């Protein structure tokens, strides 16, 4: 007997949440949610399509994980605390084993961030996964893309480029089970920088998550802020895992143009430099992603790359899922 | 030059909203939204897939309209006031004419309910449309499915069955431009009962919207409430447009099993009967959808149909988009 759409949601995605701010979750026409007084609501949505955002053959647990992770990353980039998620799942057939693994990946990540799945919709159709995440932030601590000012320092978290290099390895090998490989694991299980986003509230002047390549996303941040930037290529962080597998030129390519890393790209006034260096020392001591200064915001509109102080022409298009 | 995904959202879906509670809309990593003090947040999402929720050939303006309408209907069924929407659009190619019409249909309906589009995602892929609507409700006026109690009266708004009959006409004729036909228009441009939902807050004991057929949805309402019901077939409202086109047996079929009507099915204690009759008189005077009493909630779990007081066996499966 095929499972009806209502049964699917009930069977795989309904769980009792520990959150007392979920007044009504999965199972009614809509969810009822209590936003804490004094906070503003933060809402983001992202869609994953097979063959475009993940390879055919990707384990369902990874798809479920990443469908939520990309949205958590959007909230991290706002300095927000994620609270609730809704899932819209279009899939060709109600395959129970697929659903169990997909739900397992999504709900494990939700649990690790204390996020409750409060609603959704499951329909038969091509494999398309849309997740919406809701959360909240103190109004004065919200991180916009538009706040960068000339003179601000430019930072990136962690190790951009690893995920794209992992995707390239998967394209070559098709070995989705090689999760001992840190690059492959990074691609299959993105790590949203939620805790870092919370710490940057009140410190950073602008922030966004790196989903379409560092250089292209920097251009977007600068356009939103009405400013330019200098990006120091020799300062870009290159992880040991990436360096072990790629030539220096390949490393730079992945770091500048690789998508789906979900690191935070952010700016801060010089007055915040000491506080950010302190965050970085804490991160290093705790094994969390380091914060690397990679340039500065400039007057004007140009985003220039330099190497050892000399201008370099870099033509990295960045990811655009529509081109 | 093909439009990139970012341009699509910016070009067709970014508008300045009159809502002062949108602190940050389309264009950043997430939207920032102010929920009024004392209200709870209400969140719903629904997905439309070509060939399942709408026929191939459906005008893009109708798809945009209905993708939002089905979500507004979910909020109506909670007694909530809609405020904001997010759109996730997967489409095969960035066809500008298609997008203009789709956005036109969606935004015209959004405007008519004062809803602001505050974010979204556009990707290349099969045609799948997901909309999420957010709104709010006074905590004591939220309408759940689970509140029906034995002895409560059972009502439905407006004219269930019209949309399904309109779909059947479209299947036969393929004439999507026949919007002078009230049944076709009803199918292509669903009318969410938002104002009625607001009026029922504090009056109704339970409510849901009729999206999968009245009889099947009544069973869901009863299951959520831990109750049964008697449905009086001779009391079902049949519109003049439906009666003019169908035999009495066909009319009853469409009213009981037709999906996508987005009428409200609701229950109320006998003490609220006079107030609901007054709402119905106001509706009749104002040309708005009538409220029809169609049965009562019973102890037990059985949902029985009667005709002139005698039990009748009705085997209507109801819509299930997964079977």
């Amino acid at each position: 007997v095929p499972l009806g759409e209502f049964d699917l949601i009930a069977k795989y995605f309904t769980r009792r949440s520990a959150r007392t701010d979920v007044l009504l979750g999965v199972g009614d026409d809509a969810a009822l949610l209590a936003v804490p007084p004094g906070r503003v609501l933060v809402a983001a949505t992202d869609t994953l399509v097979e063959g475009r955002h993940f390879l055919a053959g990707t384990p369902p647990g990874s798809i479920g994980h990443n469908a939520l992770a990309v949205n958590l990353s959007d909230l991290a980039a706002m300095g927000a605390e994620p609270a609730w998620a809704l899932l819209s799942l279009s899939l060709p057939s109600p395959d129970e084993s697929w659903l169990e693994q997909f739900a397992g990946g999504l709900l494990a990540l939700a649990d690790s961030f204390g996020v409750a799945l409060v609603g959704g919709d499951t329909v038969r159709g091509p494999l398309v996964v849309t997740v919406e995440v809701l959360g909240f932030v103190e109004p004065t601590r919200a991180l916009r893309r538009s706040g960068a000012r000339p003179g601000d320092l430019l930072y990136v978290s962690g190790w951009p480029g690893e995920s794209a290099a992992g995707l390239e390895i998967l394209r070559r090998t098709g070995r989705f089970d090689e999760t001992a490989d840190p690059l492959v694991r990074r691609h299959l299980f993105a790590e949203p920088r939620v805790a870092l986003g919370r710490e940057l509230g009140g410190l950073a002047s602008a922030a966004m998550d790196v989903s379409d390549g560092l250089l292209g996303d920097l251009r977007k941040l600068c356009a939103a802020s009405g400013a330019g930037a200098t990006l120091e290529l020799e300062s870009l962080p290159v992880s040991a895992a990436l360096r072990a597998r790629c030539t220096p030129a390949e490393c730079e390519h992945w770091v500048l143009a690789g998508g789906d890393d979900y690191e935070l790209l952010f700016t801060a006034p010089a007055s915040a430099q000491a506080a950010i260096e302190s965050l970085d020392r804490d991160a290093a001591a705790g094994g969390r992603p380091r914060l690397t200064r990679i340039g500065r915001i400039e007057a004007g509109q140009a985003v220039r790359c330099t190497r050892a102080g000399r201008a370099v022409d870099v033509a990295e298009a960045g990811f655009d899922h529509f081109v």
Side-chain angles (χ1 to χ4, degrees), chain A:
Chain A
V1 183
L3 287 166
E5 59 179 309
F6 313 104
D7 302 320
L8 285 182
I9 294 176
K11 178 160 181 183
Y12 291 102
F13 300 110
T14 307
R15 299 200 305 186
R16 234 171 237 305
S17 167
R19 296 194 71 99
T20 56
D21 54 13
V22 178
L23 310 179
L24 186 65
V26 170
D28 212 300
D29 294 292
L32 295 176
L33 308 164
V35 176
R39 305 289 185 96
V40 295
L41 180 68
V42 186
T45 183
D46 270 303
T47 295
L48 304 189
V49 176
E50 186 174 53
R52 182 152 296 269
H53 303 94
F54 55 90
L55 297 172
T58 300
S62 162
I63 301 170
H65 176 103
N66 280 347
L68 179 60
V70 299
N71 283 283
L72 293 176
S73 180
D74 282 327
L75 261 63
M78 303 301 293
E81 180 183 339
W84 313 297
L86 295 97
L87 166 69
S88 288
L89 178 60
S90 165
L91 78 166
S93 66
D95 175 328
E96 294 216 37
S97 158
W98 193 97
L99 276 162
E100 199 168 336
Q101 294 173 64
F102 174 89
L106 192 152
L107 294 174
L109 185 66
D111 284 349
S112 74
F113 285 97
V115 168
L117 185 71
V118 297
D121 190 26
T122 310
V123 301
R124 189 194 288 270
L127 183 53
V128 176
V129 186
T130 298
V131 170
E132 298 98 10
V133 170
L134 303 169
F136 26 83
V137 66
E138 305 81 353
T140 57
R141 295 173 72 91
L143 300 173
R144 293 166 171 81
R145 293 184 181 184
S146 56
R149 296 291 169 261
D152 283 359
L153 306 174
L154 176 66
Y155 294 87
V156 72
S157 68
W159 307 114
E162 286 198 332
S163 174
L167 171 61
E168 184 62 25
I169 292 168
L170 282 172
R171 278 208 174 103
R172 279 203 317 266
T173 66
R175 291 292 304 274
F176 290 99
D177 55 341
E178 279 287 9
T179 50
D181 182 327
L183 302 181
V184 168
R185 190 174 63 243
R186 185 75 189 281
H187 180 74
L188 293 177
F189 298 96
E191 296 168 18
R193 303 304 189 200
V194 173
L196 175 60
R198 296 291 295 153
E199 291 173 329
L200 291 177
L203 275 183
S205 51
M208 69 182 294
D209 66 330
V210 181
S211 53
D212 299 300
L214 194 157
L215 184 52
D217 284 342
L218 173 59
R219 291 202 177 97
K220 287 175 208 155
L221 187 146
C222 286
S225 294
T230 298
L231 182 65
E232 300 162 3
L233 297 177
E234 73 278 12
S235 302
L236 293 173
V238 180
S239 77
L242 197 60
R243 196 179 288 121
R245 303 281 275 274
C246 303
T247 67
E250 286 169 345
C251 287
E252 191 173 280
H253 166 78
W254 293 127
V255 173
L256 284 177
D260 295 336
D261 266 308
Y262 305 109
E263 296 294 357
L264 295 186
L265 179 68
F266 62 96
T267 65
S271 59
Q273 184 172 6
I276 289 170
E277 285 172 0
S278 166
L279 280 182
D280 175 54
R281 281 192 300 275
D282 293 350
R288 297 193 305 279
R290 302 291 300 267
L291 307 180
T292 307
R293 183 152 81 82
I294 57 172
R296 61 191 300 132
I297 299 300
E298 311 279 5
Q301 301 189 337
V303 174
R304 299 180 323 132
C305 295
T306 62
R307 202 184 309 278
R310 305 179 63 137
V312 175
D313 204 20
V314 177
E316 295 291 353
F319 271 48
D320 184 334
H321 295 297
F322 233 116
V323 177

